[in-house]
Each structure stands twice: as structure tokens, then as C-alpha cells.
Amino acid sequence: MTEGHAIAGVPMRWVGPLRISGNVATTETHVPLATYESPLWPSVGRGAKVSMLAEQGIVATLVDERMTRSVLVEAVDAQTALTAARTIDTHLAELQEVVRTCSRFAELIGIRHEINANLLFIRFEFSTGDASGHNMATLASDVLLGHLLETIPGISYGSISGNYCTDKKATAVNGILGRGKNVVTELLVPQEVVAGVLHTTAAKIAQLNLRKNMLGTLLAGGIRSANAHFANMLLGFYLATGQDAANIVEGSQGVVMAEDRDGDLYFACTLPNLIVGTVGNGKGLDFVETNLTRLGCRAERDVGENARRLAVLAAATVLCGELSLLAAQTNPGELMRAHVQLERDHTTEKAGV
């Protein structure tokens, strides 16, 4: 092994299967989770079991997809910044051609801007095929920035990244404008499954979601987020599939809906900032290649379809873990008993006792 290079081993298990349908994929599959939090495996597994007992399983709808990078330019004054912004808005087709000169897969699909004093923040939005698109978007933005500085008078270089993207930070702008894959997952759980597998009622879960996820997060000052632990499932899934794990910061900003429908439970998770890809950095490791293949994300498909499949599988995994945890938290002591028992069993197993 080359000096300074090593592999950090994180325990990984496949859980499931889970059932999924929707506008991207209809399948039943196990999913990999790499985590030190061993109770996560059976918790997600319980949610997956529920999905197999629902007629349509988890219905995953891909709503939107785009990767963003914002650049910063300095103008002579605010009026010059406004003139520059209006010029940019009217030259979208020209700027799209500029992007095509530097990338086979990046496509400029939108431009947003924000003016503060004499500073102009320009947020470029791209489709990026099967890549998550960080580097692709940055390269395209760098070329676009150079073009703008050459063709628009009164502006000068500020930064290749103006923090209006927003990358790996909890902000409102991503949820409003979108960054990555926007996926909604829905599950209708029959009353007998709620009682028999989740050991609770739809009314209790709906009430807890309102009080904990909605009101509790509001009081805590959460930013466009109302969930119990999206980050847990995302981190496990991201590590197992070669994603940039830091993107769970914006990825875990999402909202849970839970409704009691005459005893049946309607449960939905909206994840507007899922940043995943099936090509690019992190995908060259053998275990990642194996996992993506097993998930069906190495098939011959149109550009972008494998990444979309991966995104809806990630979102479905999040729903499974979220549902299971909220169900456990409706019952006094259940969560702690499960953690103590599972972590004790794991420790005993490792010790060979």
C-alpha cells in the first residue's frame, strides 16, 4: 500500500428486500448500508418489510434534477450588476453553447441571480447525466465565468464559488430552487401491518410526526427540514455506493408527512437535495462497483437513468428507516431497549463470546 494511502473500513450489511415503484424504477431489492450504528440495519429492515406488505410498495417519484454552482462577480455598482444580470438572462442559448464546448454531458438548464450591493451572485444549473456533477458543474461554471468577464462590461472576477450553490451547507436556497435529485417517496401501510409489524397505530405516528418533526424542528430553528434522522440512512447508503458523504448535509434537509387514513397510514418523505451519481469520483473501488451492480445501476440505459435509479433507491431507504424509528418512538422505552440489545449483541459477537 502506498505510504499515506489507506482504506477506512466501515461495517456494511445489505438489508431488505424493499419494494419500490414509481416513475423511475419498479423493483424489489436489498440495499447496502455502511455504518457504525448497528441498530440501523434492523431498523431499516423493518421498514423494508413493511414496504413488501404494501401493494405498490414505496412509490418513488423523481420530481426534478439539477446540479448547481454559483459564481461571484464584482460590478462597478448595483445598476451595473443589474444590467449584467439582465444581459445574462437574455443570452441563455449562447451560454448553453459555451458549456457544450467543454463537456459532453453537462447541459446548462437554468440561471438564477442575486444582487447584494455591487456584488452579483450567479447560480448556474446543469443536468449532468449519471454523474453527481460537482466537478462537471464547476468546470462549466469556470468556462462560463471567463466568457462573461470577456463579454459583459463593468464586471470583474470575484470567485468561482459564491456560496449561493449551495454545496454541503444547510440553506433554504437548495430546497427552494433544487440541487441534485428531488425525490418524493410515499407508502400506504394497511392498518393490520401498522399494528402487526410496527406495533403502533397510524394516529400515533401522525401525531408524533406533527409534534416532533414539525413543531420540534420549528422550535429548534430548522431550515426547510422536518424529519427524525434522514442523515443516518443517507450516510450509510452514500458510503456504500461511493458518494461524497459530505452531501448528506443538504441531502438530509427533507420533510416527513404522516396521515391517519381510517386506520391505514399514509407516510411520505420528500428529499429535494439528493446528490448521487453512478460515475465519477469514488466509483472505482471494487466494493462500490459490486454494490452498484447488485442495485441494478450498472445496466445499459440512457444517460442519466442509472443515477436516477440510485436516487430513488436512496430515497426509499430513507423512508424505511424514518418510518421504523418514528414507530418505535411512539412506544415508551422501545427505542432504547432496541439500541441496548442490538449493540450488546454486536459487541458480544465481535468479542467472540
Side-chain angles (χ1 to χ4, degrees):
M1 185 174 293
T2 306
E3 184 178 353
H5 291 77
I7 297 294
V10 180
M12 187 191 82
R13 290 187 184 179
W14 287 79
V15 300
L18 58 83
R19 175 178 294 161
I20 185 171
S21 62
N23 65 351
V24 172
T26 299
T27 188
E28 294 178 4
T29 181
H30 289 74
V31 292
L33 291 172
T35 181
Y36 292 112
E37 189 176 353
S38 54
L40 191 65
W41 296 317
S43 179
V44 173
R46 181 166 73 153
K49 180 179 179 179
V50 171
S51 78
M52 296 294 291
L53 297 172
E55 184 177 354
Q56 293 181 282
I58 298 166
V59 181
T61 302
L62 181 74
V63 176
D64 186 53
E65 56 182 324
R66 62 193 62 233
M67 175 48 64
T68 64
R69 173 62 66 199
S70 70
V71 300
L72 171 62
V73 298
E74 180 180 353
V76 174
D77 51 31
Q79 181 61 51
T80 304
L82 177 60
T83 300
R86 287 175 173 171
T87 301
I88 292 169
D89 288 342
T90 58
H91 286 75
L92 176 61
E94 175 187 324
L95 297 177
Q96 288 174 327
E97 287 301 320
V98 171
V99 171
R100 294 185 186 112
T101 67
C102 66
S103 176
R104 288 186 300 154
F105 297 108
E107 180 74 20
L108 180 63
I109 58 177
I111 305 174
R112 315 272 184 162
H113 60 76
E114 185 90 12
I115 296 172
N116 186 75
N118 66 321
L119 300 179
L120 173 59
F121 296 80
I122 308 165
R123 191 176 194 263
F124 296 119
E125 303 173 344
F126 305 92
S127 60
T128 56
D130 281 305
S132 61
H134 290 100
N135 294 336
M136 198 182 298
T138 302
L139 172 61
S141 296
D142 191 53
V143 174
L144 285 168
L145 178 56
H147 178 79
L148 295 178
L149 295 176
E150 289 178 0
T151 57
I152 297 180
I155 61 173
S156 58
Y157 178 83
S159 175
I160 183 57
S161 179
N163 261 16
Y164 192 59
C165 311
T166 296
D167 187 25
K168 300 166 186 171
K169 289 168 279 290
T171 64
V173 71
N174 285 344
I176 296 170
L177 300 182
R179 187 169 198 266
K181 306 284 196 294
N182 184 329
V183 181
V184 177
T185 53
E186 302 169 282
L187 180 63
L188 186 61
V189 188
Q191 183 174 5
E192 60 271 19
V193 177
V194 177
V197 178
L198 297 175
H199 311 300
T200 186
T201 67
K204 286 182 179 180
I205 290 179
Q207 183 185 66
L208 180 63
N209 182 59
L210 175 63
R211 292 177 173 179
K212 169 192 168 72
N213 284 347
M214 299 288 188
L215 182 57
T217 304
L218 172 67
L219 295 176
I223 302 174
R224 290 190 65 85
S225 195
N227 66 76
H229 71 145
F230 280 13
N232 265 333
M233 287 72 72
L234 282 181
L235 179 58
F237 193 91
Y238 276 23
L239 290 178
T241 59
Q243 311 306 314
D244 188 337
N247 283 128
I248 68 166
V249 176
E250 65 263 52
S252 61
Q253 288 182 277
V255 176
V256 176
M257 283 282 289
E259 295 178 356
D260 177 4
R261 296 186 175 179
D262 296 325
D264 296 340
L265 172 67
Y266 171 79
F267 195 82
C269 298
T270 298
L271 296 97
N273 308 315
L274 272 179
I275 299 174
V276 298
T278 55
V279 298
N281 289 343
K283 312 307 180 296
L285 298 173
D286 289 343
F287 81 91
V288 171
E289 187 69 27
T290 298
N291 291 348
L292 290 176
T293 299
R294 184 171 172 182
L295 287 170
C297 295
R298 278 288 178 259
E300 291 293 329
R301 296 190 174 94
D302 291 340
V303 173
E305 286 300 318
N306 279 326
R308 294 179 190 111
R309 179 184 177 90
L310 189 65
V312 298
L313 291 176
T317 303
V318 168
L319 182 144
C320 289
E322 186 77 4
L323 173 61
S324 185
L325 178 66
L326 283 178
Q329 290 181 346
T330 64
N331 296 315
E334 180 180 330
L335 177 65
M336 202 62 249
R337 284 195 303 273
H339 269 263
V340 170
Q341 182 62 50
L342 290 166
E343 289 173 355
R344 179 184 295 135
D345 289 348
H346 183 65
T347 302
T348 301
E349 176 185 332
K350 293 293 287 183
V353 177

